[in-house]
Amino acid sequence: SLGLVGSEMCIRDRPEDQQAAYLAYVKERPAVVMGDGPRHIYVLYDPNCPVCHEYYDQVKLKVNQGQLTAHWIPTVVFPDRRSSITASAQLLSLVEAGHPDKATEMLSYSMESDGYLQILDDNYSDEQHGHALEHIVRGAATMTMARPETPLIIYETESGALAMRTGIPTMGYEQEIRVQDQTEVSSR
């Protein structure tokens, strides 16, 4: 139902409207994109999260098989680990600079190579990467609005509903993710 607030119309707090707005907000976050499959997932993750690394290995297989497109949105759940912030900032800096292939390569190294996060931390510069900190804060806020756990996997179901999972999802969840046609994908 609609109501008037001041001179503007607003949507009352219907759950489906809130969910649609949240999903749209998640989709707007800068992300490192892996793959070009018909099903899209949005993964809020911390570069230092061991469960995120394990989930990355599983998603990589689905991406390589052409089943999924994964949008990795770096955030921070380990603020005491500087490399959570510095690695996230460097990844998002590459995305913002229009270097998606380099961002995907950096994501791969950061998830698969021991010691790579330290290398990123050593090469961090506020001057070069500090502008991305706002996106990291927004990513953390986006995650906290739902569940402050990583990985937080967000997607739209075949029925159009918002779905969220944390940790390593049970096998077969990919089948409930809505298949997007090419016009939806190219309009972003």
Side-chain angles (χ1 to χ4, degrees):
S1 70
L2 296 175
L4 288 177
V5 175
S7 62
E8 296 182 31
M9 288 252 243
C10 71
I11 296 174
R12 297 230 189 250
D13 294 354
R14 296 185 317 182
E16 58 272 13
D17 295 332
Q18 291 174 343
Q19 291 176 5
Y22 181 80
L23 183 60
Y25 186 74
V26 168
K27 289 179 176 183
E28 291 172 1
R29 305 284 33 94
V32 179
V33 180
M34 279 177 62
D36 59 0
R39 291 180 163 93
H40 290 249
I41 59 172
Y42 300 82
V43 184
L44 285 95
Y45 79 102
D46 185 306
N48 280 298
C49 167
V51 178
C52 297
H53 288 243
E54 187 178 336
Y55 182 62
Y56 174 87
D57 291 339
Q58 291 181 10
V59 167
K60 186 177 173 181
L61 293 172
K62 304 280 186 207
V63 165
N64 290 341
Q65 294 168 351
Q67 296 175 15
L68 283 178
T69 299
H71 303 258
W72 292 88
I73 304 168
T75 187
V76 177
V77 293
F78 297 109
D80 57 329
R81 297 186 187 166
R82 178 182 144 101
S83 60
S84 290
I85 298 166
T86 57
S88 294
Q90 290 177 71
L91 281 162
L92 291 175
S93 291
L94 287 172
V95 170
E96 284 184 329
H99 302 294
D101 293 339
K102 288 181 181 180
T104 303
E105 183 179 9
M106 183 182 283
L107 173 68
S108 175
Y109 281 128
S110 69
M111 297 300 251
E112 297 175 339
S113 302
D114 291 337
Y116 191 71
L117 290 177
Q118 185 60 51
I119 293 168
L120 291 177
D121 191 42
D122 293 343
N123 290 308
Y124 175 81
S125 155
D126 279 336
E127 188 174 295
Q128 279 187 293
H129 309 109
H131 60 89
L133 296 176
E134 177 184 343
H135 293 301
I136 297 165
V137 170
R138 288 180 188 263
T142 303
M143 177 189 60
T144 304
M145 283 186 239
R147 291 181 75 173
E149 302 173 43
T150 56
L152 176 60
I153 303 125
I154 301 168
Y155 56 91
E156 188 174 0
T157 66
E158 283 293 345
S159 67
L162 171 71
M164 291 186 222
R165 295 176 179 264
T166 57
I168 306 289
T170 55
M171 293 189 61
Y173 77 99
E174 301 90 355
Q175 296 311 308
E176 66 186 41
I177 302 170
R178 185 163 109 22
V179 174
Q180 296 184 0
D181 64 33
Q182 281 306 101
T183 57
E184 290 175 285
V185 175
S186 60
S187 69
R188 286 197 193 139

